[in-house]
Amino acid sequence: MYIAKEESFGPIMIVSVFEDVQSQADIEKLVARANDTEFALASGVFTRDISKALLVSEKINAGTCFINCYNKTDVAAPFGGFKQSGFGKDLGAEALNEYLKTKTVTVEY
């Protein structure tokens, strides 16, 4: 659906229900469906199985992944997206890199 592939800001949330994921192939299909968008600011995984939640959150291509909650942030945690949502990070030590330039100088004498 169009709304599931766009990056909308406002009081909306896309909820996709999946059948019980049993096999690695099921997980790969689930992750492919979740990653089928050009935007990737945040995602969420709701499940009773924490090992599956951690596996899926690792494979989902989004800047933030919430497990069994949503939009709970900490000022020390970097926030920002990937893909077309990836224009740097806010918050945390990672945000300081937006103000820095890394330069390498190699000297042989």
Side-chain angles (χ1 to χ4, degrees):
M1 292 186 326
Y2 176 80
I3 194 169
K5 292 188 175 196
E6 287 299 308
E7 188 168 57
S8 302
F9 293 94
I12 61 170
M13 177 185 283
I14 304 303
V15 177
S16 298
V17 178
F18 299 90
E19 295 299 320
D20 189 22
V21 178
Q22 298 295 326
S23 69
Q24 186 64 31
D26 290 341
I27 290 173
E28 294 303 324
K29 286 195 300 189
L30 179 145
V31 169
R33 184 172 156 193
N35 287 336
D36 186 24
T37 178
E38 63 183 281
F39 302 100
L41 183 59
S43 62
V45 177
F46 290 84
T47 180
R48 290 186 186 103
D49 188 333
I50 193 65
S51 61
K52 282 183 188 173
L54 291 171
L55 176 65
V56 170
S57 70
E58 180 182 325
K59 292 176 177 286
I60 288 178
N61 191 11
T64 298
C65 187
F66 299 99
I67 297 176
N68 293 335
C69 63
Y70 204 82
N71 208 20
K72 286 192 170 189
T73 58
D74 185 304
V75 295
F79 182 79
F82 295 166
K83 301 179 187 180
Q84 292 297 316
S85 300
F87 300 109
K89 298 291 184 207
D90 294 328
L91 308 175
E94 187 73 21
L96 293 175
N97 291 333
E98 298 299 313
Y99 300 99
L100 303 174
K101 275 198 223 179
T102 302
K103 183 176 185 174
T104 303
V105 177
T106 303
V107 176
E108 184 177 320
Y109 63 98

